[in-house]
């Protein structure tokens, strides 16, 4: 049952559904052809098809001997007519009743239809005797067995990484067509904020949020315009929003979206676009703003560092994937684990607590807290490898109870 502190809040899923329903992949995004060495983190703009067969020829899966199966009989001695190596195929005459010594990856000699592994061969002065039955096609990797010429190997919308680029290199593909990077403008608001490296005066704190958001945007492959810290001044704030809107596909600010903060922020955003100020039923991260400026989409993150990172992770990250037309983006699946420590929780909001999960001595998945979960305790991210996601109406969790674990993806692990 909702109380006065949680009434009127919208769920995380409702917020995400609204954001994704209003947005679509950018249609004005240009593409470019890049060398593979410069393509890591970029998103394919069109399907990639193989220009060759893989493997490009029939080849041996074993070190052994190639022969014509029709010539095989038990106890028969096969003279060795020559050798075939990877990159150096057998090219001489191949007399009937003989075999060819062959190495793994070497091209199958014309006419051979079986390779016998060397462990099933007895070598004598007269030749080789095979000690096992032979089947047609054994230990032969056929042309195109992995990839056919013209086959689609990557669809459009794939974010290129270690699992993809070596594959393209193995196909002899030198360049790939990718979408231009999403343009994102970022800034923080607040008179209390100071840049990292500047001595703090009384009542001041370092601008953690902008630094964290910039890092995450870099990891997501965005082109970032960092407008720095904007003081609590309507003129300066308007100028920052207008500059950001002129440059970006997406504008992200932190601070100034909570109830009770400067009214001119909300008034100004209402003048510059259509922005919704939401109270999310999550902890940490209740205040959040989303909408459209004249040109760019806008996300307003909470001022507390832990809340800013969580709302970016849960809401902005999937939004960026959609705007970028990244088809393969998804969060890791959630897992069930036993609580190895107590988790404190007040009913009313979906709670994302920073935690560590692993397998115990019995092989059972368990999770334990990183300690205090306040929205100012940013050190909890460096200690954690997951969120323990506690249901909205759930209370305290005792040791041994089942909890839902959401492992961090690369954005928080790297």
């Amino acid at each position: 049952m909702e109380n006065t502190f949680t009434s009127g809040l919208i769920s995380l899923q409702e917020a995400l559904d609204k954001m994704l329903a209003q947005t679509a992949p950018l249609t004005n995004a240009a593409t470019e052809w890049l060398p593979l060495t410069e393509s890591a983190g970029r998103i394919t703009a069109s399907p990639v098809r193989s220009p060759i067969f893989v493997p490009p020829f029939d080849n041996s899966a074993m070190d052994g001997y190639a022969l014509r199966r029709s010539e095989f009989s038990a106890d028969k001695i096969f003279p060795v007519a020559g050798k075939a190596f990877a990159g150096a195929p057998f090219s001489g005459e191949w007399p009937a009743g003989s075999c060819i010594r062959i190495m793994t990856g070497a091209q199958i000699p014309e006419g051979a239809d079986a390779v016998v592994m060397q462990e099933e061969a007895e070598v004598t002065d007269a030749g080789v005797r095979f000690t096992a039955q032979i089947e047609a096609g054994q230990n032969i990797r056929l042309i195109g067995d992995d990839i056919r010429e013209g086959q689609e190997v990557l669809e459009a919308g794939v974010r290129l990484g270690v699992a993809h680029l070596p594959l393209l290199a193995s196909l002899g593909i030198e360049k790939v067509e990718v979408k231009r990077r999403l343009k994102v403008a970022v800034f923080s608001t607040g008179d209390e904020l100071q840049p990292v490296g500047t001595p703090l005066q009384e009542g001041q704190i370092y601008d953690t949020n902008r630094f964290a958001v910039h890092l995450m945007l870099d990891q997501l492959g965005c082109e970032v315009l960092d407008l720095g810290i904007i003081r609590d001044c309507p003129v300066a704030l308007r100028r920052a929003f207008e500059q950001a809107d002129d440059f970006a596909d997406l504008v992200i600010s932190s601070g100034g979206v909570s109830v009770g903060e400067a009214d001119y922020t909300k008034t100004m955003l209402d003048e510059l676009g259509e922005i919704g100020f939401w109270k999310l039923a999550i902890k940490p991260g209740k205040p959040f703003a989303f909408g459209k400026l004249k040109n760019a989409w806008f996300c307003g993150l909470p001022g507390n560092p832990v809340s800013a990172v969580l709302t970016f992770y849960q809401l902005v990250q999937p939004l960026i994937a959609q705007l970028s037309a990244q088809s393969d983006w998804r969060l890791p699946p959630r897992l069930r684990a036993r609580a190895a420590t107590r988790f404190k929780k007040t009913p009313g909001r979906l709670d994302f607590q920073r935690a560590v999960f692993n397998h115990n001595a019995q092989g059972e998945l368990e999770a334990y807290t990183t300690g205090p979960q306040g929205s100012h305790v940013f050190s909890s991210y460096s200690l954690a490898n997951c969120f323990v996601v506690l249901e909205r109406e759930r209370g305290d969790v005792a040791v041994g109870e089942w909890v839902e674990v959401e492992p961090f993806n690369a954005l928080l692990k790297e």
Side-chain angles (χ1 to χ4, degrees), residues 24-42:
L26 298 178
T27 57
N28 63 340
T31 66
E32 57 183 328
W33 288 87
L34 290 181
L36 297 190
T37 52
E38 299 175 16
S39 299
R42 302 298 291 273

Side-chain angles (χ1 to χ4, degrees), residues 184-199:
V184 185
V186 298
F187 58 87
S188 297
T189 62
D191 289 339
E192 78 282 8
L193 301 177
Q194 287 297 308
V196 174
T198 303

Side-chain angles (χ1 to χ4, degrees), residues 307-369:
S307 304
V309 169
L310 176 67
T311 50
F312 184 103
Y313 186 87
Q314 295 291 339
L315 294 171
V316 182
Q317 186 180 191
L319 173 66
I320 287 175
Q322 172 145 303
L323 294 176
S324 304
Q326 184 181 348
S327 60
D328 62 343
W329 184 88
R330 57 191 56 83
L331 286 175
R334 292 181 181 177
L335 309 170
R336 292 184 78 227
R338 293 282 189 185
T341 57
R342 181 172 177 262
F343 289 86
K344 296 179 64 176
K345 165 89 164 56
T346 301
R349 287 191 278 168
L350 183 69
D351 200 346
F352 290 84
Q353 299 206 14
R354 281 76 64 205
V356 176
F357 79 102
N358 54 29
H359 288 90
N360 60 23
Q362 292 71 45
E364 188 176 60
L365 201 62
E366 64 180 12
Y368 52 92
T369 182

Side-chain angles (χ1 to χ4, degrees), residues 159-349:
R159 187 165 188 258
L160 295 168
V162 175
H164 314 104
L165 292 170
L167 168 63
L168 301 187
S170 75
L171 302 175
I173 295 174
E174 182 182 4
K175 293 184 176 181
V176 61
E177 185 183 20
V178 296
K179 295 180 179 294
R180 73 157 171 83
R181 295 192 294 165
L182 195 74
K183 295 180 179 180
V184 185
V186 298
F187 58 87
S188 297
T189 62
D191 289 339
E192 78 282 8
L193 301 177
Q194 287 297 308
V196 174
T198 303
L200 293 178
Q201 304 301 317
E202 186 175 358
Q204 293 181 336
I205 58 173
Y206 285 121
D207 181 15
T208 305
N209 292 7
R210 180 170 52 90
F211 181 69
V213 168
H214 198 152
L215 286 175
M216 291 188 288
L217 291 171
D218 285 342
Q219 282 190 241
L220 294 175
C222 299
E223 180 181 349
V224 182
L225 173 64
D226 190 340
L227 296 176
I229 300 168
I230 310 302
R231 300 305 173 190
D232 291 326
C233 165
V235 175
L237 191 60
R238 178 181 290 274
R239 187 183 306 118
F241 271 109
E242 290 175 343
Q243 183 181 353
D245 190 37
D246 286 340
F247 165 84
D249 304 303
L250 173 65
V251 177
I252 301 174
S253 71
S254 68
V257 296
S258 299
V259 174
E261 297 192 41
D263 290 338
Y264 59 74
T265 302
K266 182 179 186 305
T267 302
M268 184 179 306
L269 285 169
D270 286 340
E271 293 174 1
L272 296 174
E274 297 180 4
I275 310 297
F277 286 77
W278 298 336
K279 298 178 184 178
L280 303 178
I282 63 172
K283 185 180 180 181
K286 184 168 68 172
F288 186 81
F290 172 73
K292 190 75 164 63
L293 301 172
K294 181 180 178 182
N295 302 308
W297 293 100
F298 170 73
C299 289
L301 308 182
N304 286 317
V306 173
S307 304
V309 169
L310 176 67
T311 50
F312 184 103
Y313 186 87
Q314 295 291 339
L315 294 171
V316 182
Q317 186 180 191
L319 173 66
I320 287 175
Q322 172 145 303
L323 294 176
S324 304
Q326 184 181 348
S327 60
D328 62 343
W329 184 88
R330 57 191 56 83
L331 286 175
R334 292 181 181 177
L335 309 170
R336 292 184 78 227
R338 293 282 189 185
T341 57
R342 181 172 177 262
F343 289 86
K344 296 179 64 176
K345 165 89 164 56
T346 301
R349 287 191 278 168

